[in-house]
Amino acid sequence: MEDNKFSYKYPHPAVATDCVIFGFDGNSLEVLLIERGLEPYRGRWAFPGGFVKIDESCEEGAVRELQEETGLVNPYIEQFHTFSEPGRDPRERVITIAYYALVCKQDVKGGDDATKAQWFKLNDVPQLAFDHDLILRVALNRLREKIHFEPIGFELLPDKFTMRQLQQLYEAILEVQFDRGNFAKKMLHYNILNQLDESVWPTPKREAKLYSFNIENYNDMKRKGYRMEF
Amino acid sequence: MEDNKFSYKYPHPAVATDCVIFGFDGNSLEVLLIERGLEPYRGRWAFPGGFVKIDESCEEGAVRELQEETGLVNPYIEQFHTFSEPGRDPRERVITIAYYALVCKQDVKGGDDATKAQWFKLNDVPQLAFDHDLILRVALNRLREKIHFEPIGFELLPDKFTMRQLQQLYEAILEVQFDRGNFAKKMLHYNILNQLDESVWPTPKREAKLYSFNIENYNDMKRKGYRMEF
DNA sequence: TCAAAAGTGTTCTCCCTACACCCATGG
DNA sequence: CCATGGGTGTAGGGAGAACACTTTTGA
């Protein structure tokens, strides 16, 4: 095989990244999937991802793939697990470093048109290619654990949001119901929200205040050793 | 190069595992290090680890290396991060999937004698080979996060232990001081300890009750959705 | 007899919970 | 005028923090 220019003394697996992209539509948590155009698993949905280049870190690779396929720049991204079962890819031994990204759906323009991308509500996700069903389960667990103690939820919302939107986001991720008053009280108590002068009519009823995330106060809080918890 | 029998169309990184082994000596958290006998970083200390075989998962590889180098069988092991900076290994591109193991020091016999292994208190850890300083920092963070909500500390203790030993373990890991009475009250309240009939003299003073971890009750608790927190 | 450590109890405070109540808006 | 949703207040209970008290042992 003349094409195989890269030789090693011992067998090397291929190394890829996959990225679970979470978004929020106001009611449900969603993930962005891509329909595979090539074998294997042609026609099945999968997470965006690809092979890591030899001179980039895995995180750089994941960010690069993300931008190529969704147009996202500077996304919130976090590594959560590496999947390495032999046989998880029928072509050759591939291990994949999996990331999840939290994006505000408005920011996703859709990448190059060759790839067919689509948002799926968590309950509507079809059977996925490779071991991506497993990857999704692990990603969800990690997201739920993380949001208990870090204000990562804000990455899924626009810059300005109402208290109800924030509550619905937490309820969608954690699959619980919060008391309206207590949620607002607790959230405001952490002092990580700016209350803006503006307001909106999120429903046909009464207008609601708008808030933004105050990252400086949050960093102060962390520096002083406080933890938030939800 | 006649030796290079394994060829690929695109360059492949090498894939390794490293394992941060935590132990507890009664006062301090410790890690097991191995002195490197070969270049690079010959003479420097590093975590046990090695390359992943082409037909084993990374976890299988980590467990195998662990047994080869320490004699440990069936250890508590958990993947926590994958390190992939280009240049982290001067020989070739190597990405490493990092695990931490929690062991009861009594169970470690020491592996084959060719490798020089030694326990280091966290404060006495020297500068390590490769990026293992970073790996240790990340491992410690993850261990601290995890022990807040899961009773993994018991893996570091003998089967039978006193309340004070357990408290000292938590204090060593989290670097805080607990009130004696409150710690015992809270821990017993979770109902995950068996109080044994035996007792010991852990100090030259008064005898103390012995406890063991009740994993059935803990699993019950988890199934019912309760969380422990420390 | 004293110091140290184990075991247990008590009080105070704070936060979370579950509601209740008012206000604004559109039908 | 009523239903819906935003905003705020209040009473009760539970858990943690601080600390005190007793008992047992060796020096």
Side-chain angles (χ1 to χ4, degrees):
Chain A
M1 288 207 263
E2 287 306 302
D3 274 353
N4 292 345
K5 303 181 293 186
F6 300 95
S7 312
Y8 307 92
K9 194 168 173 185
Y10 300 102
H12 282 36
V15 176
T17 63
D18 284 300
C19 194
V20 183
I21 307 173
F22 287 109
F24 182 61
D25 75 341
N27 285 300
S28 309
L29 204 55
E30 300 186 338
V31 289
L32 187 64
L33 298 175
I34 291 190
E35 189 173 24
R36 290 184 55 81
L38 300 172
E39 294 294 344
Y41 295 104
R42 182 173 178 171
R44 288 267 274 280
W45 296 88
F47 296 116
F51 292 102
V52 176
K53 294 185 192 282
I54 202 67
D55 58 353
E56 69 184 0
S57 72
C58 292
E59 178 154 333
E60 285 162 1
V63 170
R64 174 178 52 75
E65 300 278 353
L66 205 54
Q67 193 187 343
E68 287 171 11
E69 311 205 36
T70 67
L72 278 164
V73 293
N74 205 22
Y76 178 91
I77 194 176
E78 182 154 318
Q79 184 192 311
F80 67 92
H81 198 76
T82 295
F83 296 86
S84 64
E85 283 301 311
R88 54 174 298 282
D89 190 312
R91 292 166 293 186
E92 65 171 319
R93 177 80 197 273
V94 180
I95 77 163
T96 191
I97 294 96
Y99 292 79
Y100 63 82
L102 304 182
V103 307
C104 176
K105 279 181 66 181
Q106 303 168 8
D107 300 345
V108 181
K109 312 282 177 232
D112 61 86
D113 306 24
T115 59
K116 200 167 140 192
Q118 190 180 316
W119 288 99
F120 286 80
K121 289 185 197 303
L122 276 189
N123 288 327
D124 301 337
V125 171
Q127 198 192 4
L128 302 176
F130 305 105
D131 55 355
H132 287 199
D133 295 316
L134 170 63
I135 292 179
L136 176 56
R137 280 204 306 279
V138 178
L140 256 177
N141 280 336
R142 286 294 285 277
L143 175 62
R144 288 187 179 130
E145 284 174 16
K146 183 106 180 168
I147 204 171
H148 271 296
F149 306 103
E150 305 228 26
I152 54 175
F154 300 98
E155 306 288 342
L156 292 161
L157 292 174
D159 285 344
K160 305 170 181 180
F161 48 85
T162 66
M163 192 59 78
R164 173 163 291 260
Q165 287 179 297
L166 187 59
Q167 179 175 349
Q168 283 172 329
L169 172 64
Y170 271 77
E171 290 179 341
I173 295 180
L174 297 174
E175 293 185 313
V176 294
Q177 296 290 111
F178 292 105
D179 176 272
R180 213 165 34 86
N182 295 336
F183 181 87
K185 216 182 307 172
K186 191 171 175 182
M187 194 56 91
L188 291 172
H189 175 256
Y190 286 119
N191 201 31
I192 57 174
L193 296 184
N194 299 316
Q195 184 182 319
L196 306 178
D197 294 331
E198 315 159 63
S199 51
V200 285
W201 279 261
T203 68
K205 301 294 177 184
R206 192 174 157 181
E207 69 175 338
K209 295 176 186 168
L210 278 175
Y211 296 91
S212 68
F213 176 49
N214 189 327
I215 194 167
E216 293 83 11
N217 281 8
Y218 174 66
N219 288 333
D220 274 0
M221 192 178 99
K222 270 213 305 199
R223 208 155 355 91
K224 290 171 186 157
Y226 295 142
R227 282 214 320 264
M228 64 176 295
E229 171 167 0
F230 261 91
Chain B
M1 288 206 263
E2 286 306 302
D3 274 351
N4 292 345
K5 303 181 293 185
F6 299 96
S7 313
Y8 306 92
K9 194 168 173 185
Y10 299 103
H12 282 36
V15 176
T17 63
D18 283 300
C19 194
V20 182
I21 307 172
F22 287 109
F24 182 62
D25 75 342
N27 284 301
S28 309
L29 204 55
E30 301 186 336
V31 289
L32 188 63
L33 298 175
I34 291 191
E35 189 173 25
R36 290 185 56 80
L38 300 172
E39 295 295 342
Y41 296 103
R42 181 172 179 171
R44 289 266 274 279
W45 296 88
F47 297 116
F51 292 102
V52 176
K53 294 185 192 281
I54 201 67
D55 58 351
E56 70 183 0
S57 71
C58 291
E59 178 154 333
E60 285 163 0
V63 169
R64 174 178 52 75
E65 300 279 353
L66 206 53
Q67 193 187 344
E68 287 171 12
E69 311 205 37
T70 68
L72 277 164
V73 293
N74 205 23
Y76 177 91
I77 193 176
E78 182 155 318
Q79 184 192 311
F80 68 92
H81 198 77
T82 295
F83 296 85
S84 64
E85 283 301 312
R88 57 174 295 283
D89 189 312
R91 292 166 293 186
E92 65 170 319
R93 177 80 196 273
V94 180
I95 77 163
T96 192
I97 295 95
Y99 292 79
Y100 64 81
L102 304 182
V103 307
C104 177
K105 279 181 65 180
Q106 303 167 7
D107 300 345
V108 181
K109 312 282 178 234
D112 61 85
D113 306 23
T115 58
K116 199 168 141 193
Q118 189 180 315
W119 288 99
F120 287 80
K121 289 185 196 303
L122 277 188
N123 288 327
D124 300 337
V125 172
Q127 198 192 4
L128 302 176
F130 305 106
D131 55 354
H132 287 199
D133 295 315
L134 171 62
I135 292 178
L136 176 57
R137 280 204 306 279
V138 178
L140 256 177
N141 281 335
R142 285 294 285 276
L143 175 63
R144 287 185 179 131
E145 284 174 16
K146 183 107 180 167
I147 204 171
H148 271 295
F149 306 102
E150 304 227 27
I152 54 175
F154 300 99
E155 307 287 343
L156 292 161
L157 292 175
D159 285 344
K160 306 170 181 179
F161 49 86
T162 66
M163 191 59 78
R164 172 162 292 260
Q165 288 178 296
L166 187 59
Q167 178 175 349
Q168 283 172 330
L169 172 63
Y170 272 77
E171 290 179 340
I173 296 180
L174 296 175
E175 293 186 314
V176 294
Q177 296 290 111
F178 291 106
D179 176 90
R180 218 166 31 87
N182 295 335
F183 181 88
K185 216 183 306 171
K186 190 171 174 182
M187 193 56 90
L188 290 172
H189 175 256
Y190 286 119
N191 201 31
I192 56 173
L193 296 184
N194 298 316
Q195 184 182 320
L196 307 178
D197 293 332
E198 315 158 63
S199 51
V200 285
W201 279 261
T203 67
K205 302 295 176 183
R206 192 175 156 181
E207 70 174 338
K209 295 177 187 168
L210 278 174
Y211 297 90
S212 67
F213 176 50
N214 189 327
I215 194 166
E216 294 83 10
N217 282 7
Y218 175 66
N219 288 333
D220 274 0
M221 192 178 99
K222 269 212 306 200
R223 207 155 355 91
K224 289 172 186 156
Y226 294 141
R227 281 213 321 264
M228 64 175 296
E229 171 168 0
F230 261 92

